[in-house]
Amino acid sequence: MSKISWKPGNMIYPLPAVMVTCRDRGEDNVLTIAWTGTICTNPPMTYISVRPERHSYDMIKNSKEFVINLTTKALAKATDFCGVRSGRDMDKFKELGLEKEEAQAVDAPVLAASPVNIECRVEEIIPLGSHHMFVAKVVNIMADDEYMEENGRFALEKTNPLVYSHGGYFETGKQLGTFGYSVRKKKKRKKQHGGKRK
């Protein structure tokens, strides 16, 4: 297998395409973010990286709060729209008919159609270059109980999660395994001992 060398760039794909909602001085906005992810498990921390010229940048910088709304196949068009249109020019909630609800732990709206809303409070803002990273603590999660299983597991895969890769939006595929499956010992089948026929 031969390989070619490219200039340094972002090649870590796919990524979750999320819709971030925020509020500042009574104004609500929603923008699409792909530069996001997990930083720490305990305490639960995440990040979003935003260009300073984005309308939501100053809103989040001022309020120090935002909500990460996970997206689905049904939200694909809205996800793209909120990444290419600015809240300076329109109310994207009204334009797209997106229903808002109130977050429980932060002063920001959440998207009713999103299966998971991750409420965040900014801990630090790190200027990195084209993007500034908002390092945040997760202070509350709202999850659609439609996807809760009897054993308490949240079946996110049933929501048709949306991911972003090299300029495209994709549905997630079939499950290939679970965490640790490569080293998990197979259960031995119990031998069945039958009696002798008379």
Side-chain angles (χ1 to χ4, degrees), residues 46-97:
T46 183
Y47 79 94
I48 58 171
S49 289
V50 185
R51 291 181 181 271
E53 58 267 27
R54 297 289 295 268
H55 182 55
S56 291
Y57 176 88
D58 284 328
M59 296 178 69
I60 298 171
K61 185 178 180 181
N62 293 336
S63 70
K64 300 290 194 298
E65 295 176 332
F66 61 89
V67 178
I68 294 174
N69 303 273
L70 300 191
T71 57
T72 64
K73 178 182 178 181
L75 286 167
K77 188 172 181 179
T79 301
D80 182 65
F81 187 92
C82 290
V84 296
R85 291 289 183 264
S86 175
R88 291 189 185 95
D89 306 321
M90 68 181 72
D91 181 334
K92 288 186 268 188
F93 294 97
K94 288 184 178 178
E95 187 74 20
L96 294 167

Side-chain angles (χ1 to χ4, degrees), residues 116-190:
V116 180
N117 316 104
I118 305 168
E119 301 178 32
C120 305
R121 191 163 289 131
V122 177
E123 296 278 308
E124 186 179 1
I125 303 172
I126 306 173
L128 296 172
S130 63
H131 292 68
H132 292 187
M133 179 187 286
F134 289 85
V135 178
K137 185 176 288 185
V138 177
V139 294
N140 188 55
I141 291 179
M142 297 170 67
D144 190 336
D145 61 6
E146 180 182 344
Y147 302 102
M148 290 298 296
E149 297 181 337
E150 289 183 4
N151 61 1
R153 176 181 174 272
F154 185 77
L156 182 63
E157 71 279 0
K158 293 181 181 178
T159 71
N160 290 318
L162 195 66
V163 295
Y164 177 81
S165 182
H166 296 280
Y169 301 98
F170 298 88
E171 293 180 74
T172 52
K174 66 178 182 180
Q175 180 175 305
L176 301 178
T178 57
F179 181 75
Y181 84 101
S182 63
V183 296
R184 192 173 295 126
K185 291 181 180 179
K186 292 182 179 179
K187 293 181 180 179
K188 292 182 179 179
R189 292 182 179 178
K190 292 181 180 179

Side-chain angles (χ1 to χ4, degrees), residues 14-51:
L15 296 162
V18 303
M19 296 170 76
V20 172
T21 47
C22 55
R23 174 178 294 149
D24 181 39
R25 300 183 181 94
E27 178 190 355
D28 293 347
N29 195 36
V30 52
L31 77 158
T32 300
I33 293 285
W35 299 166
T36 184
T38 299
I39 295 176
C40 185
T41 302
N42 189 18
M45 297 189 71
T46 183
Y47 79 94
I48 58 171
S49 289
V50 185
R51 291 181 181 271

